[in-house]
Amino acid sequence: MSSVAVLTPESFAEHRSGLKDQDMSGCVPEDEAYIPTYLEAFPPLPEKGAPGEKTGEPASAWGGKIRPIKASVITQVFHVPLEERRYKDNSQFGEGEEAKVCLDIMQRTGAHIELSLAKDQGLSIMVTGKLESVMKARKEIVARLQTQASATVAIPKEHHRFVIGKNGEKLQDLELKTATKIAIPRPDDPSANIRITGTKEGIEKARHEILLISAEQDKRAVERVSLEKAFHPFIAGAHNRLVQELSQETGARISIPPPSLPKDEIVITGEKEAVALALSRIRAIYDDKKRKTTTISVEVKKSQHKYIIGPKGNTLQEILETTGVSVEMPPLDSGSETIILRGEPDKLGPALTQVYAKAKSVMVVEVTAPAWLHRFIIGKKGQNIGRITQQLPRVHIEFTDGEERISLEGPTEEVEQAQAQIQEIIKDLLVRMDYTEVIIDQRFHRHLIGKNGANINRIKEQYKVSVRIPQDSERSGLVRIEGDPKGVQLARRELIEMVQRMENERTKDLIVEQKFHRTIIGQKGEKIKEVRDKFPEVIINFPDPSQKSDIVQLRGPKNEVEKCGKFLQKIIADLIENSFSLSVPIFKQFHKNIIGKGGANIKKIREETNTKIDLPTENSNSEMILITGKKSYCEAARDRILAIQRELANIKETEVAIPARLHNSLIGSKGCLVRSIMEDCGGVHIHFPSEGSGSDKVTIRGPVGEVEKAKKQLLQLAEEKQVNNFTAELQAKPEYHKFLIGRGGANIRRVRDKTGARIIFPSPDDTEQELITIVGKEEAVRQAQKELECLVKNLDDVVEDNMVVDVRHHRHFVCRRGQVLRELAEEYGGVAVSFPRTGANSQRVTLKGAKDCVEAAKKRIQEIIEDLESQVSVEVAIPQRYHRAIMGPKGCRIQLITREHEVQIKFPEREDSAAGQKRQEAPPQENGEVSPEAEFVARKCDIITIAGRVEKCELAKAALLALVPITEDVEVSYELHRYIIGQKGSGIRKMMEEYEVNIWVPQPEKQLDVIKVTGLVANMERAKQGLLDRVKELQAEQADRALRSFKVTMSVDPKFHPKIIGRKGAVISQIRKDHDVSIQFPDKGDEQQDLIVILGYERNAEEASQAIRQLVAEWQEMVSQDVHLDPRTHARIIGARGKAIRKLMEEFKVDIRFPQPGSDEPDKVTVTGLPETVDNAIDHLLNLEEEYMLSVTETETLAAYMKPPSRYGGGGGAGADDGSGGPAKGFVVRDAPWNAAGNKAPDMSSAEDFPTFGTSVAPKQASAWGPKKF
């Protein structure tokens, strides 16, 4: 078997390190000139085929042969003999227990089972499905349809675990394959017998498999031998080669515990003969080494131990390989420095020499230097430390952040030279450099830094110093200044002066409700930015929304803080004044009129009153419209909305003076009293003034008659409350309430008239559904309570009674799922009415319930029967095409007529399509009249039958005829048809819904100037007028559109187009908005790329054209200059989300363009503007580049030298192991495939040749400005 070695840069460095170590110790010289071939460095994988077979062609990436795909569905057939069948007495095959069992197994396993009966009465079973399902189904079939036998098989107890397998998988597989149940005794059970249950055939198969597993384990053996840990390296050999050879020779597996594990047991597993052979060989090595070897101990400094061990213990293995001596190292966590060498006496000397050579090959020295000097020791772009590492490449220098020491690691002579040079640099710096530390309160730190570091950068540039301000997370006030002694003192003085000025600042807290914070800040902080621009010296801090705090903090100079505070308080006062809200109850049916056509009415009210008006959703039961804004504006909006309602309906509003102290008692518990009056008076609105206002005016609004009725009841109730207010409560089952109220409120009205008390029943929303409230004078309340209690008591006395009802009337009561019976039960206190079953020929009907309810129900049934017996049938002929319109949505119109007139209406069956095609439909009514040629001839499918009393049938007939729609023509120019239809028919659909008519627009190809309107006579005039109004609107729009279509074409150099458009279209949007015009730029493929088209009113288009020309004239005076800036500074100059560069462009009034990613000149930045502003901007950019480059190089250099030290010779840091200070050459091979004639070396930087997993090929680099927007 071939092996593939993966050579990484790290392993190659270790390999080179090992070679150098050998060279230093005088063992194996390094051949640095040798370069391996491609095949030597990367040996190919073996070809598929016989070992040693060579082919001329490379193997396909998919292999030479495609494996056939196995079917996922399999079929198995097996036989159950007659004597083994569990169910034999079936009278008919396919029925009984066998079929039920198979059906159950199919449902549980998902397999398909087919049974067939053989001539010998045995069962043939075919199972189809996925392999797993088939195996499970077969096991269950055998267990449930075949008689079961059992047998035992004895195997050694230690073999049981091999039968079970990992996680019991082998046992489950065996049970499925043999369709048996195998029971293995528990580990604590002394029995070794395994019980198998199943069919004879299955038992034999399972027994055979178990014995095979046992026989296989009999051939294997495990040996554990304990040998002294010190001799394990001799058994394993250098790099474990000896033990690997031994395993290959004997075929046994040998496991030696690693040096870090304190175990001396070696485990050998395999075939018995192989294990015995390996054991004898290991014992022979152990006995030989124990007899011949001796030991010596040496003391070596603990810090040098890691150089003796080497990377991954390689040095110890090399000593063992070259000298045959084992080096025993003390654990790294122990304080011992003693090393033991074990081997033959004549080899201990060379081994000891190598140990000392390795220990002394590397030296570690620490140089003391103040931490603040480290960056100066490293030098600008690492030049100081770079000179040392170039001269002494094998020395690793490590700077530890925050500690006053520098570590040097490498060969002794070179380390001493490096130490001397560094100490000289430190001495020189201490003479030339100085530092100071100032304690400054942490709250002032961000003000010292300034916006985008403006303050601190100015101090750094002015005094040529470095200022370190700690991060907020450090919670430290120590500010450190380093640099030229004079500059340090000047910088310190300026910082202290800044702090003193800030300490004299004032802080003021404003209490602002949190709900106003977002409004004051504005969208994307626009409004608060205006405030900050107005008061630049004041810092405004809003609390975090999660804190739910109302405190807004202002900080800055005293006078400015006061002015800013007053300004904000004025804003807050305006917000509070504009947050007044008012609720107006408007009848639900008038909400659409309040909104108006296309929202015109509500929009006009909002704009003219400067208020926010919210209406409830269509599916909401609420009638309240909420108005928000200034109080006076809200009241004006309310008056206008109420005026619309008064115009639409005969609505009256009146005010009643009722003492405020009575308001709560009139409203009642949870509003029950006032609600009962509103329901009793046709849904009027009664509005009480808010509590604490002191007003005694109660407003009543609604239809004229109902308002007067409600006023009378309210005053009467107030009088009762004032004279003698008494309340009593009564409990009654909810099903009795309708009976107590009576039909049309007759029963309860009788009690009210008799006693003078007011009786209030709970509404469906109330939690207490059984509670009835009685209000009035005490005497009247007591009398009413007594009568109601008597009625409820009678209702609680359940009786059963019978009555005779003719069989022909039974269907009327029980049809429509017993709707009539349900209505009787609801109306008469839940009385139960039972009719005999169909076909029983009985006329006896049973009624069960309260005595009074039963009597009332009998009386009602008798009335219904009388109606049925006096019923007649009236036919009305209406063309079938109108039947659907007459029925209305979901039959609502017909249901209303049947309910109002107590009749039954039956529509005929629809005529089939074939017959309908033969007949010519009568033309529709035009303009309300039937044309002479449209004589209507009634057909069977046109006849509607009405059943009921004669007078009620006539009324229902008239109501049906009133629902027959008529058709009228409205003259509308063909050109306007598409505008009337609207986008996707929305316009015409809206008109049809608003006027409840059907509007038919002719086909476009006919080009007719007529639109047909079909609907009820009552809706027709309104619909026609609405259509004509729409036509007038469209004609006015057409005229306006003609005026707006004035076109101005102007030529502008395409290079100015992006500037005219502006960032995110800001400039062009402003021009469009200011002049109310449409401006179109040429598309990319257009021939004339310089033409800009302006559409709008003539005057506006000319003004917009002039504005664009003025902008272009200004830009033509501008110049563009290129400046080369290091790409590493671009992101810093641009700032977060382009904030810094935008500020810079605004400050210098220039446009700055950075190169696109992948540009040929990545350092070229273009500055455009007036000549003097461009020069100033370029100077500023160059200053920024110099400042940022200092920071960039320092960061990169520090990062390079702050890495943790690598082991000697491993590369990294400043120490290179190739003897040169230049860059590493990489790994070089000869005879690579890309060096052959006609081949090209792969591009390592190409994302297409070397794609990254999980990303697309050659992904584009993201711009510093974010993604492009088109």
Side-chain angles (χ1 to χ4, degrees):
M1 181 177 177
S2 299
S3 64
V4 180
V6 180
L7 192 59
T8 64
E10 291 81 4
S11 60
F12 184 61
E14 287 180 8
H15 168 68
R16 295 286 302 271
S17 170
L19 290 176
K20 287 191 176 184
D21 289 345
Q22 290 171 3
D23 186 30
M24 287 168 67
S25 59
C27 293
V28 181
E30 179 186 23
D31 185 5
E32 291 192 7
Y34 180 73
I35 298 175
T37 65
Y38 182 80
L39 289 176
E40 286 174 347
F42 304 103
L45 292 168
E47 297 288 344
K48 185 176 178 182
E53 184 182 13
K54 294 184 179 178
T55 57
E57 296 179 3
S60 167
W62 295 94
K65 186 178 179 183
I66 298 172
R67 293 183 180 180
I69 299 172
K70 292 185 179 179
S72 62
V73 177
I74 64 163
T75 301
Q76 278 197 8
V77 180
F78 56 98
H79 188 70
V80 179
L82 174 64
E83 59 274 12
E84 291 185 16
R85 282 178 61 186
R86 181 166 287 182
Y87 307 103
K88 303 176 186 176
D89 54 349
N90 289 336
S91 56
Q92 187 174 352
F93 181 70
E95 297 179 356
E97 288 300 320
E98 285 179 340
K100 288 179 184 176
V101 167
C102 287
L103 189 63
D104 181 49
I105 294 169
M106 284 165 65
Q107 288 174 345
R108 289 170 59 181
T109 63
H112 179 70
I113 302 171
E114 290 184 18
L115 294 178
S116 58
L117 198 64
K119 290 182 180 179
D120 61 354
Q121 297 300 303
L123 272 182
S124 287
I125 304 166
M126 184 168 72
V127 187
T128 306
K130 291 189 176 179
L131 178 61
E132 188 180 355
S133 301
V134 169
M135 299 305 285
K136 286 181 181 176
R138 182 185 171 192
K139 182 182 175 183
E140 288 210 30
I141 289 167
V142 168
R144 295 170 67 178
L145 294 185
Q146 200 166 353
T147 54
Q148 302 290 295
S150 65
T152 58
V153 56
I155 63 171
K157 188 83 175 174
E158 57 269 19
H159 294 175
H160 286 192
R161 63 192 182 92
F162 298 105
V163 176
I164 296 168
K166 188 178 182 181
N167 296 326
E169 289 174 2
K170 196 162 188 177
L171 180 62
Q172 290 172 13
D173 187 45
L174 189 58
E175 287 182 335
L176 282 174
K177 277 167 59 180
T178 60
T180 58
K181 177 68 179 173
I182 302 170
I184 297 176
R186 295 177 64 82
D188 53 1
D189 188 346
S191 172
N193 291 333
I194 297 173
R195 177 169 288 279
I196 310 167
T197 306
T199 62
K200 290 179 182 176
E201 182 186 358
I203 289 170
E204 286 302 318
K205 284 182 182 176
R207 188 170 182 277
H208 175 69
E209 291 289 335
I210 290 168
L211 290 173
L212 275 179
I213 291 167
S214 180
E216 187 180 340
Q217 294 306 317
D218 278 336
K219 295 177 183 177
R220 298 185 66 79
V222 178
E223 283 288 347
R224 288 180 169 80
V225 56
S226 292
L227 301 174
E228 287 179 57
K229 185 82 176 176
F231 293 95
H232 286 191
F234 299 111
I235 297 167
H239 304 288
N240 287 324
R241 290 196 194 110
L242 188 58
V243 75
Q244 287 170 6
E245 290 171 6
L246 192 57
S247 291
Q248 287 175 0
E249 286 177 19
T250 62
R253 183 179 172 186
I254 303 166
S255 176
I256 298 174
S260 57
L261 194 66
K263 283 181 68 177
D264 58 3
E265 187 179 69
I266 297 172
V267 181
I268 311 164
T269 56
E271 300 288 334
K272 287 185 177 178
E273 296 82 0
V275 168
L277 180 59
L279 181 62
S280 65
R281 293 280 295 276
I282 287 168
R283 284 199 177 278
I285 293 168
Y286 171 72
D287 293 341
D288 179 58
K289 291 296 178 184
K290 192 165 186 179
R291 186 176 64 256
K292 292 182 179 178
T293 60
T294 183
T295 62
I296 59 169
S297 300
V298 292
E299 296 291 325
V300 177
K301 282 185 182 179
K302 193 76 178 179
S303 59
Q304 305 295 318
H305 285 198
K306 60 181 179 179
Y307 307 118
I308 298 170
I309 296 168
K312 297 179 183 178
N314 285 340
T315 306
L316 294 178
Q317 297 295 327
E318 288 168 9
I319 294 171
L320 179 62
E321 186 177 20
T322 54
T323 64
V325 173
S326 168
V327 181
E328 298 169 20
M329 305 294 298
L332 292 173
D333 54 357
S334 75
S336 174
E337 295 185 342
T338 304
I339 298 174
I340 299 171
L341 280 72
R342 187 182 302 272
E344 295 177 15
D346 57 331
K347 294 180 180 178
L348 287 174
L352 186 59
T353 304
Q354 284 199 35
V355 167
Y356 276 122
K358 294 292 182 186
K360 292 181 179 179
S361 61
V362 176
M363 178 184 182
V364 178
V365 172
E366 287 186 357
V367 178
T368 303
W372 66 272
L373 272 183
H374 286 190
R375 54 196 294 272
F376 299 107
I377 295 168
I378 293 168
K380 192 175 182 181
K381 298 183 181 180
Q383 59 186 12
N384 292 348
I385 209 72
R387 281 197 297 270
I388 298 171
T389 53
Q390 284 173 10
Q391 293 172 12
L392 309 166
R394 291 194 293 174
V395 176
H396 173 77
I397 304 171
E398 181 195 353
F399 292 82
T400 308
D401 192 19
E403 293 186 16
E404 296 192 344
R405 60 186 178 85
I406 303 169
S407 298
L408 286 77
E409 180 181 341
T412 307
E413 289 180 6
E414 293 191 8
V415 165
E416 287 173 353
Q417 290 179 40
Q419 182 183 7
Q421 290 185 32
I422 288 172
Q423 284 174 340
E424 189 64 33
I425 291 170
I426 293 166
K427 187 177 177 182
D428 178 56
L429 286 171
L430 286 172
V431 173
R432 290 190 298 105
M433 304 294 288
D434 193 10
Y435 80 94
T436 186
E437 292 177 342
V438 188
I439 302 293
I440 297 174
D441 196 316
Q442 201 174 2
R443 62 198 167 98
F444 298 132
H445 286 186
R446 63 194 186 94
H447 307 296
L448 292 178
I449 294 166
K451 198 170 184 181
N452 295 325
N455 294 345
I456 205 71
N457 288 337
R458 180 183 57 77
I459 291 169
K460 286 179 181 178
E461 288 176 13
Q462 188 174 346
Y463 302 116
K464 307 298 180 190
V465 293
S466 170
V467 183
R468 185 191 177 279
I469 297 175
Q471 298 288 333
D472 291 345
S473 56
E474 294 180 30
R475 299 189 179 280
S476 170
L478 190 69
V479 176
R480 188 183 185 94
I481 310 166
E482 302 166 356
D484 179 68
K486 188 178 177 182
V488 166
Q489 293 306 318
L490 291 171
R492 180 177 183 276
R493 193 189 327 167
E494 184 161 345
L495 285 177
I496 290 169
E497 286 173 2
M498 287 173 71
V499 171
Q500 286 171 350
R501 281 200 305 272
M502 285 186 281
E503 283 174 341
N504 294 327
E505 289 178 347
R506 188 186 166 192
T507 300
K508 183 175 182 179
D509 290 342
L510 285 181
I511 305 298
V512 183
E513 285 186 64
Q514 196 176 31
K515 64 180 179 180
F516 296 128
H517 289 188
R518 184 170 287 182
T519 313
I520 295 169
I521 293 166
Q523 191 174 14
K524 295 182 180 177
E526 290 171 358
K527 291 186 179 178
I528 199 66
K529 186 177 183 294
E530 291 174 11
V531 180
R532 284 176 174 149
D533 290 344
K534 192 170 184 178
F535 304 98
E537 295 182 51
V538 180
I539 295 164
I540 306 168
N541 288 324
F542 283 85
D544 191 89
S546 60
Q547 294 176 357
K548 297 184 178 178
S549 171
D550 294 338
I551 297 172
V552 176
Q553 192 179 74
L554 310 179
R555 192 168 60 77
K558 185 178 179 181
N559 293 337
E560 290 296 309
V561 166
E562 288 298 330
K563 288 178 186 176
C564 184
K566 286 177 182 177
F567 184 78
L568 284 174
Q569 281 171 342
K570 187 181 176 185
I571 292 172
I572 294 156
D574 289 342
L575 286 172
I576 292 169
E577 187 181 358
N578 289 325
S579 63
F580 178 80
S581 62
L582 199 65
S583 293
V584 187
I586 298 293
F587 291 101
K588 194 79 176 177
Q589 64 265 33
F590 300 129
H591 281 200
K592 63 180 180 181
N593 305 98
I594 302 293
I595 295 166
K597 192 174 182 182
N601 291 353
I602 199 76
K603 187 178 178 183
K604 188 177 179 183
I605 295 169
R606 282 172 179 158
E607 288 175 356
E608 291 181 2
T609 62
N610 195 24
T611 56
K612 181 185 175 188
I613 303 173
D614 295 315
L615 287 90
T617 56
E618 286 184 20
N619 54 1
S620 167
N621 294 324
S622 173
E623 295 184 338
M624 290 293 179
I625 294 177
L626 186 69
I627 308 170
T628 309
K630 286 187 177 180
K631 187 176 181 181
S632 57
Y633 295 163
C634 289
E635 288 170 352
R638 177 190 62 187
D639 294 341
R640 291 186 62 168
I641 289 169
L642 290 172
I644 293 171
Q645 181 178 245
R646 278 195 294 274
E647 287 172 15
L648 291 168
N650 188 16
I651 300 296
K652 180 185 176 183
E653 183 177 308
T654 187
E655 289 183 347
V656 185
I658 297 173
R661 59 190 172 80
L662 295 175
H663 289 183
N664 282 342
S665 58
L666 288 176
I667 293 167
S669 176
K670 297 180 181 177
C672 63
L673 286 177
V674 77
R675 192 168 54 244
S676 70
I677 295 172
M678 288 194 291
E679 289 171 0
D680 197 30
C681 301
V684 296
H685 290 296
I686 301 174
H687 177 68
F688 285 82
S690 57
E691 195 173 353
S693 64
S695 173
D696 59 357
K697 289 182 180 179
V698 178
T699 308
I700 307 170
R701 190 185 304 115
V704 178
E706 299 298 335
V707 166
E708 290 302 321
K709 186 179 175 184
K711 180 180 177 181
K712 186 179 175 182
Q713 285 195 23
L714 197 60
L715 288 170
Q716 185 182 347
L717 187 59
E719 189 181 346
E720 289 173 6
K721 292 280 183 187
Q722 224 167 350
V723 176
N724 194 0
N725 182 28
F726 188 77
T727 305
E729 292 179 345
L730 179 72
Q731 296 280 343
K733 292 179 182 176
E735 56 263 29
Y736 294 163
H737 290 188
K738 277 198 175 180
F739 179 74
L740 292 172
I741 295 166
R743 293 190 74 185
N747 294 349
I748 208 67
R749 200 178 299 113
R750 189 176 66 252
V751 176
R752 280 178 184 168
D753 295 344
K754 184 177 177 183
T755 62
R758 185 172 190 80
I759 302 160
I760 301 159
F761 286 84
S763 69
D765 299 329
D766 288 343
T767 51
E768 290 286 343
Q769 286 293 308
E770 294 188 358
L771 195 67
I772 300 170
T773 308
I774 309 166
V775 181
K777 294 181 180 179
E778 185 174 359
E779 187 182 344
V781 168
R782 295 291 185 199
Q783 190 181 350
Q785 186 179 10
K786 191 175 179 182
E787 288 211 14
L788 286 174
E789 283 174 349
C790 185
L791 284 170
V792 172
K793 189 176 180 184
N794 291 340
L795 291 174
D796 287 335
D797 295 335
V798 178
V799 297
E800 190 171 316
D801 200 357
N802 299 316
M803 67 180 294
V804 175
V805 178
D806 197 313
V807 175
R808 62 197 170 93
H809 298 313
H810 287 194
R811 187 174 180 280
H812 173 78
F813 289 94
V814 299
C815 69
R816 299 193 303 278
R817 298 182 182 177
Q819 184 178 342
V820 178
L821 295 181
R822 282 200 306 275
E823 289 172 359
L824 285 169
E826 285 177 11
E827 198 170 337
Y828 299 103
V831 66
V833 184
S834 302
F835 278 78
R837 290 186 178 181
T838 308
N841 293 323
S842 172
Q843 296 183 353
R844 186 178 174 185
V845 176
T846 306
L847 295 90
K848 188 176 182 180
K851 187 177 180 182
D852 292 348
C853 294
V854 168
E855 289 302 323
K858 280 175 71 177
K859 188 178 177 183
R860 177 64 186 144
I861 290 170
Q862 210 60 51
E863 287 174 8
I864 293 169
I865 292 168
E866 287 174 13
D867 283 347
L868 291 171
E869 288 178 345
S870 62
Q871 271 188 0
V872 296
S873 292
V874 175
E875 292 182 348
V876 56
I878 296 173
Q880 190 184 32
R881 63 179 177 273
Y882 299 132
H883 288 188
R884 181 172 291 176
I886 291 168
M887 288 179 185
K890 299 181 180 178
C892 64
R893 292 175 181 165
I894 287 300
Q895 288 169 13
L896 184 64
I897 294 171
T898 56
R899 200 162 46 245
E900 281 183 2
H901 303 292
E902 296 179 353
V903 295
Q904 291 182 4
I905 301 173
K906 185 180 178 184
F907 281 80
E909 294 290 330
R910 290 183 65 81
E911 187 179 43
D912 64 324
S913 57
Q917 285 173 359
K918 290 177 184 178
R919 295 176 183 271
Q920 192 70 28
E921 284 196 4
Q925 291 177 321
E926 294 183 2
N927 303 320
E929 296 177 1
V930 181
S931 56
E933 69 273 15
E935 191 66 38
F936 172 59
V937 179
R939 299 168 293 162
K940 187 178 178 182
C941 62
D942 298 328
I943 304 299
I944 300 172
T945 306
I946 308 171
R949 287 181 181 268
V950 177
E951 63 277 9
K952 292 184 177 179
C953 285
E954 290 301 325
L955 291 170
K957 180 179 178 181
L960 280 177
L961 290 170
L963 291 173
V964 176
I966 63 168
T967 302
E968 293 191 15
D969 292 345
V970 181
E971 283 194 23
V972 178
S973 174
Y974 161 74
E975 295 173 356
L976 300 177
H977 286 191
R978 62 195 183 99
Y979 300 111
I980 288 169
I981 293 168
Q983 192 175 15
K984 296 182 180 178
S986 61
I988 201 164
R989 201 160 47 244
K990 186 179 177 185
M991 290 178 70
M992 284 170 23
E993 288 171 3
E994 188 175 346
Y995 302 119
E996 297 180 0
V997 295
N998 185 38
I999 301 173
W1000 180 78
V1001 180
Q1003 296 294 326
E1005 55 267 17
K1006 293 182 180 179
Q1007 298 191 359
L1008 298 175
D1009 293 335
V1010 174
I1011 289 179
K1012 292 184 182 292
V1013 183
T1014 304
L1016 302 179
V1017 178
N1019 299 334
M1020 192 59 67
E1021 282 305 317
R1022 203 159 56 92
K1024 283 169 63 181
Q1025 190 58 45
L1027 187 58
L1028 291 171
D1029 289 346
R1030 177 64 179 146
V1031 169
K1032 287 178 185 175
E1033 284 179 21
L1034 290 171
Q1035 286 170 345
E1037 286 175 12
Q1038 274 188 330
D1040 184 63
R1041 202 178 295 118
L1043 292 172
R1044 288 179 64 90
S1045 59
F1046 185 80
K1047 184 176 178 182
V1048 173
T1049 305
M1050 60 186 299
S1051 176
V1052 177
D1053 194 322
K1055 71 179 180 180
F1056 294 119
H1057 289 190
K1059 293 185 179 181
I1060 295 170
I1061 294 167
R1063 187 171 177 268
K1064 295 184 179 179
V1067 177
I1068 200 69
S1069 298
Q1070 192 62 43
I1071 295 172
R1072 285 170 177 156
K1073 185 179 176 183
D1074 292 346
H1075 302 286
D1076 189 24
V1077 293
S1078 169
I1079 303 173
Q1080 298 168 1
F1081 286 84
D1083 293 330
K1084 285 186 179 178
D1086 289 354
E1087 291 180 6
Q1088 295 176 312
Q1089 287 290 308
D1090 59 334
L1091 290 186
I1092 296 175
V1093 179
I1094 306 171
L1095 295 170
Y1097 294 117
E1098 183 176 357
R1099 182 181 171 188
N1100 293 359
E1102 292 293 347
E1103 287 176 356
S1105 171
Q1106 187 60 35
I1108 291 173
R1109 285 195 181 95
Q1110 191 174 345
L1111 286 174
V1112 171
E1114 289 176 9
W1115 290 326
Q1116 283 174 339
E1117 294 176 11
M1118 294 183 180
V1119 296
S1120 289
Q1121 284 190 32
D1122 294 337
V1123 57
H1124 294 274
L1125 304 177
D1126 193 299
R1128 290 174 292 177
T1129 64
H1130 288 189
R1132 291 277 298 274
I1133 294 169
I1134 292 166
R1137 297 182 181 177
K1139 193 174 179 182
I1141 198 68
R1142 278 199 301 275
K1143 184 183 175 186
L1144 201 148
M1145 289 193 289
E1146 287 171 10
E1147 185 181 340
F1148 290 97
K1149 300 291 187 290
V1150 294
D1151 181 61
I1152 302 172
R1153 297 285 169 185
F1154 284 82
Q1156 291 290 330
S1159 170
D1160 294 335
E1161 294 181 280
D1163 60 344
K1164 188 173 84 172
V1165 177
T1166 304
V1167 186
T1168 306
L1170 296 173
E1172 62 275 10
T1173 58
V1174 167
D1175 291 339
N1176 293 338
I1178 288 175
D1179 289 343
H1180 187 74
L1181 286 172
L1182 291 169
N1183 290 339
L1184 286 176
E1185 182 202 25
E1186 186 178 351
E1187 177 195 332
Y1188 293 151
M1189 276 307 298
L1190 180 65
S1191 175
V1192 167
T1193 53
E1194 284 178 2
T1195 305
E1196 288 178 355
T1197 311
L1198 279 170
Y1201 288 98
M1202 290 299 176
K1203 291 180 182 177
S1206 61
R1207 287 191 178 91
Y1208 173 68
D1217 57 3
D1218 57 357
S1220 68
K1225 293 180 182 177
F1227 182 52
V1228 182
V1229 293
R1230 293 182 289 113
D1231 304 333
W1234 53 82
N1235 291 336
N1239 288 351
K1240 182 184 175 185
D1243 182 4
M1244 299 284 287
S1245 62
S1246 167
E1248 189 173 356
D1249 292 343
F1250 295 91
T1252 305
F1253 286 111
T1255 61
S1256 59
V1257 174
K1260 292 184 178 179
Q1261 186 178 350
S1263 168
W1265 292 91
K1268 281 187 180 180
K1269 294 183 179 178
F1270 298 97

